[in-house]
Amino acid sequence: MAKIRFSALEELAGRVPVERKQRPRLAEVYGADVFTMEKMRHYLSVEAFRKLEKIMSEGGAIDRTLADQVAAAMKAWAVEKGATHYTHWFHPLNGATAEKHDSFIDILKDGEVIEAFDGKLLVQQEPDASSFPNGGIRNTFEARGYTAWDPGSPAFINNNTLCIPTVFVAYTGEALDYKTPMLKALSLVDKAAVDVCQYFDKDVRKVIATLGWEQEYFLIDAALFNARPDLKLCGRTLMGHSAAKDQQLEDHYFGAIPERVNAFMDELEYECHRLGIPAKTRHNECAPNQFELAPIFEEANLAVDHNQLLMSTMKRVARHHHFRVLLHEKPFKGINGSGKHNNWSLLTDTGVNLLSPGKNPKSNMQFLVFLVATTKAVLEHEALLKACIVSLGNEHRLGGDEAPPVIMSVFLGRQLDSILDEIEAKVSSRKMSPDEKTELKLNVGKIPEIMRDNTDRNRTSPFAFTGNRFEFRAVGSSANCGGAMIVLNTAVAEQLMAFKRETDALIEKGVKKDEAIFQTLRKYIIDCKKIRFEGNGYSKEWKEEAMRRGLSVDSDCISALKAYMAPKALKLFVGNGIFTERELEARFEIKNEIYLKKLQIESRVLGDLALNHIIPTAIAYQNTLIGNVKGLKEILPDMYAEVGNVQLESIKEISRHINEIRTLVGDMTEARKVANNTYVNEVERAEAYSATVRPYMEKIRYHIDKLELMVDDEMWPLPKYRELLFSK
């Protein structure tokens, strides 16, 4: 079997020449397949363009006349680019993207064929799409589902199809996607942040949340991928002993990018740039065959769309180079998993990053307000922030091999931490003296100087301040960023609104504005101490300390997901109009349902591989050993006396592992049956699977991995870690 694998790789290497194609300059292709504002200006009348531009920047309804004009412009541009179809492109709650293609073709009464696309088709469609997860919002016999155009994200052409970013809602208007609640959350944080900014700058009229994601991924040779049913069906290896060498020498991280991988990256970036995705950075990651792509930050809604588009583009481009992309959070045991760090900040329409220190005490006080309000938002909703990023895949990743732990905490760095401690000590509820005010302002004014020598990053922090943004490092590599952005922006908006209410209440009592801001800030700084942590998030001491602080320490996905149904979550989301109670409950049920179904698939695949691949191979090798022992005993009795016991012990050990695997697979199958037949509710069934089925998988894997070390390499039926991780 091993010889077949390597001959396939040798053939592959011979028929895939590595070459760098000469491509047009970046400026010539960037956004070529995007219906940008510049193209809108070209294809629309001046009046229509100005009207649309105003609606896109200020909000408002698009009337039918304008919709028809925009649709005609989009169609003209798309057809010129070779597009033959159009689709409403949306983000259902399975975490992927969805599209149903319709041709531009239409037939007139006289039988003549024309290309048609009007405002009605642009603004709203009814794609049905009833088979997506809905958490009980829709019945299967109630098929109506609607998509509606999101003008905030430009249309683009992909695979000769005009793709129009849209929201996806049920017949009742309830959200069935990530985009709808995310747009509400972004609008909420905009208003809340503007209100607080008015304390410092009356010119601020709009604040946008920005997002810069970092996408980690593995590349696996297609021939080896296709020889691993677990990788094909589950996205991760359910078995496999660690290689003698993996990432111990740290020689892959930031190393020279292999030629074949570089060719893939070149094509991927070319496709990204045509689609307007501002891909900026690429490099080798820590684990063998692991890599990262990161863009320039963008407005959060657009950034989420671009990340979803990137993931599908990666998979398509990888096939051109005979690779397969793994976006699973933990495809290989014992080495780094893959995350999707969400770098988040707030930017005003005056060009100020609200999480970047300024040049004077006034701007620095604004920075501290937003820094501390965000930190307190994490404190108030740490369990919910955990719930929004947990999954079956992330459950394997979090808490080891440089991934942040499941306990939410905020890392600010020693310098900022000490500044907050100083403010806590110096600002009291009593009226400050002029000297105290001056000293405080002078100390606040030192922030830019301190920030020039920024603190080191803490890899074990799930939510870390990194100079001019917060990095939400716990998000999984396969996740839709929208899930984290909904929770984070809503939580921050709520905290900013609370800050404004409390500060205004002090002002109404006669406290001067600056002093009122200081007093509210100090109160928040004191409250935030329980979520701020500068140490090692992996340590046993931190878990014990977190429990004393009252933080959520649930390490499993099912327990963490319950935060969605807590009263605090209902107050946050329903109270701020992001979700209805039914929509929130639906998301809780869907996350449990997806966890359950993925675990069902994994356990079935593991059982099949164990019984139909591993055990027969182990028995075949065992028979070879038995034949060898018999031959020794018959032909070389003296040699048998010396080594026979060793051979017999190997035969016995193989038998023990085979028996354990058979027993455990049988018990795991029985546990699935019990869970399936006992619980009708999928939330309860997911909990049962987590508690009674999942533990068997590691036990079965242990015995299979032991057999991998014993069985002849020529006979082992699956590519091993050393082959999967070191073929490029």
Side-chain angles (χ1 to χ4, degrees):
M1 186 66 189
K3 288 181 179 177
I4 294 173
R5 289 204 300 269
F6 285 117
S7 64
L9 278 177
E10 288 161 3
E11 178 191 349
L12 184 66
R15 62 184 168 86
V16 186
V18 176
E19 57 180 87
R20 293 176 66 90
K21 294 181 180 179
Q22 188 65 37
R23 301 196 188 278
R25 293 179 59 193
L26 175 59
E28 297 172 16
V29 301
Y30 192 82
D33 294 332
V34 184
F35 194 53
T36 59
M37 295 297 289
E38 174 98 13
K39 296 184 180 96
M40 287 185 195
R41 190 191 305 272
H42 177 74
Y43 282 89
L44 288 169
S45 68
V46 173
E47 182 183 358
F49 175 78
R50 286 176 179 169
K51 192 173 181 181
L52 180 64
E53 188 179 35
K54 184 176 181 181
I55 290 171
M56 290 175 70
S57 63
E58 300 177 9
I62 296 175
D63 60 42
R64 180 59 188 269
T65 301
L66 179 59
D68 282 339
Q69 289 177 301
V70 174
M74 268 190 196
K75 186 201 75 175
W77 169 75
V79 169
E80 284 179 18
K81 297 282 294 180
T84 57
H85 291 70
Y86 63 90
T87 182
H88 274 197
W89 183 83
F90 56 98
H91 305 187
L93 292 173
N94 61 4
T97 55
E99 50 197 73
K100 182 189 77 171
H101 297 189
D102 286 302
S103 171
F104 285 120
I105 189 173
D106 202 1
I107 300 177
L108 300 178
K109 289 181 180 179
D110 60 3
E112 183 182 353
V113 174
I114 63 169
E115 291 171 326
F117 182 64
D118 61 19
K120 183 179 178 181
L121 295 174
L122 166 65
V123 172
Q124 180 176 305
Q125 288 189 33
E126 185 187 334
D128 174 5
S130 58
S131 295
F132 287 119
N134 63 74
I137 287 179
R138 309 170 78 190
N139 294 308
T140 53
F141 60 85
E142 294 174 333
R144 286 190 188 272
Y146 295 100
T147 49
W149 177 35
D150 169 21
S153 187
F156 57 91
I157 294 173
N158 198 22
N159 293 326
N160 295 323
T161 300
L162 174 65
C163 299
I164 302 158
T166 60
V167 299
F168 177 44
V169 298
Y171 177 71
T172 57
E174 291 165 305
L176 294 167
D177 66 344
Y178 283 96
K179 185 182 278 282
T180 303
M182 185 177 67
L183 291 174
K184 292 178 181 178
L186 295 174
S187 176
L188 187 71
V189 80
D190 170 21
K191 184 180 184 307
V194 167
D195 286 347
V196 173
C197 283
Q198 292 294 302
Y199 286 138
F200 306 97
D201 185 353
K202 297 292 185 183
D203 292 333
V204 174
R205 291 290 178 267
K206 187 171 183 60
V207 172
I208 64 167
T210 64
L211 171 64
W213 38 262
E214 302 169 30
Q215 181 70 61
E216 295 176 338
Y217 61 96
F218 282 84
L219 282 178
I220 302 300
D221 184 272
L224 298 177
F225 174 87
N226 289 326
R228 290 284 310 218
D230 49 356
L231 278 179
K232 290 182 70 174
L233 298 176
C234 307
R236 77 176 183 104
T237 54
L238 301 177
M239 60 192 70
H241 200 282
S242 58
K245 177 186 182 298
D246 44 56
Q247 66 187 53
Q248 309 100 308
L249 299 179
E250 300 174 342
D251 52 350
H252 183 68
Y253 188 54
F254 277 28
I257 298 171
E259 267 192 294
R260 187 171 155 211
V261 174
N262 206 73
F264 157 77
M265 289 179 169
D266 274 352
E267 184 179 352
L268 175 61
E269 287 188 1
Y270 175 75
E271 294 297 324
C272 283
H273 292 153
R274 289 190 67 89
L275 291 165
I277 303 172
K280 173 76 172 175
T281 302
R282 64 189 191 192
H283 63 83
N284 291 359
E285 256 299 338
C286 293
N289 271 3
Q290 187 187 33
F291 308 94
E292 181 179 295
L293 181 149
I296 299 170
F297 72 89
E298 301 177 280
E299 185 273 326
N301 177 41
L302 182 58
V304 171
D305 278 359
H306 278 165
N307 184 250
Q308 290 296 107
L309 183 55
L310 169 85
M311 290 192 286
S312 59
T313 303
M314 289 173 81
K315 294 174 182 177
R316 172 170 56 84
V317 172
R319 291 178 178 270
H320 300 168
H321 299 266
H322 299 277
F323 281 125
R324 293 295 182 271
V325 171
L326 300 183
L327 292 173
H328 193 283
E329 285 74 20
K330 194 74 170 180
F332 302 103
K333 184 178 179 180
I335 62 173
N336 272 34
S338 296
K340 177 151 43 195
H341 304 169
N342 279 213
N343 294 281
W344 172 89
S345 191
L346 295 170
L347 185 68
T348 71
D349 56 353
T350 58
V352 174
N353 179 350
L354 295 172
L355 289 176
S356 183
K359 296 180 179 179
N360 55 60
K362 180 180 177 181
S363 57
N364 279 336
M365 184 53 65
Q366 178 176 261
F367 157 70
L368 287 175
V369 165
F370 281 90
L371 178 89
V372 173
T374 302
T375 304
K376 189 159 192 294
V378 177
L379 168 67
E380 294 296 329
H381 298 288
E382 43 94 19
L384 195 54
L385 282 163
K386 181 195 298 186
C388 78
I389 56 88
V390 293
S391 65
L392 181 61
N394 226 6
E395 197 172 36
H396 292 287
R397 165 184 168 253
L398 294 175
D401 300 305
E402 296 192 7
V406 291
I407 302 170
M408 284 293 143
S409 63
V410 176
F411 173 81
L412 298 177
R414 285 188 299 274
Q415 291 91 340
L416 273 176
D417 214 45
S418 64
I419 288 173
L420 297 191
D421 288 343
E422 191 173 347
I423 292 175
E424 177 189 342
K426 293 198 172 181
V427 184
S428 65
S429 57
R430 63 177 174 78
K431 187 175 180 180
M432 287 186 289
S433 68
D435 288 343
E436 286 176 320
K437 288 181 181 178
T438 301
E439 185 180 1
L440 182 61
K441 288 181 178 180
L442 287 174
N443 288 333
V444 169
K446 293 177 183 176
I447 292 177
E449 181 181 342
I450 292 172
M451 296 305 291
R452 287 193 198 106
D453 183 23
N454 199 3
T455 186
D456 194 8
R457 296 187 183 185
N458 188 329
R459 287 179 176 269
T460 69
S461 174
F463 201 87
F465 184 71
T466 55
N468 59 1
R469 64 196 181 277
F470 277 103
E471 184 179 17
F472 194 6
R473 303 185 70 251
V475 183
S477 56
S478 66
N480 185 314
C481 295
M485 289 297 99
I486 292 166
V487 177
L488 178 57
N489 284 288
T490 307
V492 171
E494 182 190 59
Q495 205 55 62
L496 290 171
M497 289 187 287
F499 184 92
K500 181 78 164 52
R501 283 196 305 272
E502 292 176 46
T503 304
D504 284 351
L506 291 172
I507 293 172
E508 288 173 7
K509 291 179 180 178
V511 180
K512 294 279 185 70
K513 184 183 75 173
D514 285 355
E515 196 164 325
I517 291 171
F518 284 143
Q519 288 185 21
T520 309
L521 185 63
R522 179 180 184 267
K523 176 177 175 292
Y524 278 25
I525 289 170
I526 294 170
D527 292 343
C528 287
K529 291 192 85 166
K530 64 189 294 187
I531 198 73
R532 285 157 47 195
F533 180 63
E534 304 292 307
N536 179 8
Y538 291 163
S539 68
K540 178 184 175 183
E541 291 76 16
W542 166 231
K543 184 174 182 179
E544 293 170 352
E545 172 65 20
M547 291 177 70
R548 283 194 293 271
R549 294 184 185 189
L551 302 178
S552 170
V553 296
D554 291 330
S555 59
D556 66 288
C557 178
I558 297 302
S559 296
L561 287 176
K562 292 177 181 177
Y564 271 105
M565 299 312 298
K568 188 177 281 190
L570 290 169
K571 180 176 178 293
L572 175 70
F573 288 127
V574 179
N576 287 300
I578 307 302
F579 293 121
T580 64
E581 191 168 343
R582 190 180 183 207
E583 287 173 330
L584 189 59
E585 186 176 352
R587 276 154 178 77
F588 169 67
E589 292 182 5
I590 288 168
K591 283 179 174 287
N592 277 277
E593 177 189 354
I594 291 172
Y595 181 96
L596 166 65
K597 289 180 176 177
K598 286 187 175 181
L599 190 48
Q600 280 180 329
I601 292 168
E602 285 192 357
S603 62
R604 287 170 180 168
V605 170
L606 179 60
D608 172 62
L609 287 175
L611 298 180
N612 296 318
H613 292 67
I614 304 304
I615 287 180
T617 300
I619 290 173
Y621 178 64
Q622 188 181 47
N623 287 336
T624 301
L625 292 180
I626 291 170
N628 178 260
V629 168
K630 286 180 177 179
L632 280 174
K633 189 173 184 179
E634 181 180 337
I635 299 171
L636 299 169
D638 292 340
M639 182 66 71
Y640 172 77
E642 285 185 38
V643 301
N645 286 335
V646 176
Q647 297 277 46
L648 287 172
E649 196 54 48
S650 294
I651 293 168
K652 290 178 183 177
E653 189 174 351
I654 290 172
S655 291
R656 284 194 293 270
H657 288 305
I658 289 172
N659 290 336
E660 285 292 334
I661 291 169
R662 278 183 174 147
T663 301
L664 289 168
V665 169
D667 291 345
M668 179 177 70
T669 303
E670 188 60 32
R672 279 207 314 268
K673 289 178 182 177
V674 170
N676 292 338
N677 295 327
T678 305
Y679 303 99
V680 178
N681 184 311
E682 288 199 325
V683 173
E684 293 178 352
R685 196 181 301 163
E687 192 167 1
Y689 260 74
S690 178
T692 65
V693 176
R694 188 168 180 261
Y696 284 110
M697 299 185 68
E698 276 303 308
K699 295 176 184 177
I700 294 167
R701 177 176 190 147
Y702 170 81
H703 293 287
I704 292 175
D705 290 356
K706 288 295 183 183
L707 285 176
E708 182 183 316
L709 293 178
M710 300 180 69
V711 173
D712 185 351
D713 185 62
E714 291 285 327
M715 299 176 69
W716 194 253
L718 304 173
K720 298 181 177 180
Y721 271 26
R722 66 170 181 263
E723 296 152 6
L724 292 167
L725 293 171
F726 291 95
S727 62
K728 299 181 177 69

